[in-house]
Amino acid sequence: MDVKLAQCFLAVDDHDKAIAFYRDVLGLEIRNDVGFEGMRWVTMGSPLQPDVEIVLEPPDASPDASPADKQALNELLAKGLLRGVIFTTPDCDALYERVRESGADVLQEPMDQPYGVRDCAFRDPAGNQLRFLERPTV
């Protein structure tokens, strides 16, 4: 089978803050910005991966979610308990300094992991966990 990742979704509570972080700090590009029924979806991606996108969406965007579920999702986002994404970088330490200087919430400074990568972790402005890993050179 020929299967590849196309999109992943991250919940955000303020698209403008999220765009500033993902575009200005991480260097992602905006590929689409769509409003519908009072909500907004912003599609972003790395110029190095034109076929992979991150969609920044409202936490309560699912039309199938009950009002109680939507409230729970908003509360989990506010607590930083929704899952995030993992990025790769050729220089974990340089990326760490750039993101730290932006004021992002540091979760883990760069460190060598026993499973063979060097990584660090932050929270984006909405509280999503983002990890940045540097694979060893072979």
Side-chain angles (χ1 to χ4, degrees):
M1 291 181 55
D2 188 7
V3 177
K4 295 179 358 181
L5 177 67
Q7 294 179 323
C8 62
F9 291 78
L10 283 177
V12 299
D13 54 358
D14 185 323
H15 281 84
D16 294 327
K17 284 182 184 176
I19 288 169
F21 178 78
Y22 285 97
R23 181 192 59 210
D24 302 339
V25 178
L26 297 184
L28 302 186
E29 59 190 13
I30 297 173
R31 299 196 179 147
N32 207 355
D33 191 338
V34 177
F36 181 71
E37 294 186 1
M39 291 186 274
R40 185 178 180 192
W41 288 261
V42 177
T43 305
M44 304 191 78
S46 168
L48 302 173
Q49 290 180 295
D51 58 344
V52 178
E53 299 174 324
I54 296 172
V55 181
L56 306 175
E57 68 173 352
D60 57 355
S62 174
D64 299 323
S66 70
D69 290 341
K70 290 180 180 190
Q71 180 177 342
L73 286 168
N74 279 295
E75 290 171 1
L76 289 170
L77 178 63
K79 292 178 182 180
L81 295 176
L82 298 181
R83 302 301 296 171
V85 295
I86 300 174
F87 294 91
T88 61
T89 179
D91 188 342
C92 182
D93 293 273
L95 183 133
Y96 170 82
E97 287 303 322
R98 178 179 172 88
V99 177
R100 184 188 59 77
E101 288 172 4
S102 79
D105 183 19
V106 175
L107 296 176
Q108 175 201 305
E109 294 182 4
M111 64 183 291
D112 295 323
Q113 299 291 354
Y115 42 88
V117 301
R118 183 167 181 78
D119 72 355
C120 62
F122 293 90
R123 291 208 186 278
D124 74 3
N128 296 299
Q129 183 181 142
L130 307 178
R131 299 193 73 82
F132 300 90
L133 66 87
E134 177 183 341
R135 292 190 171 106
T137 57
V138 279

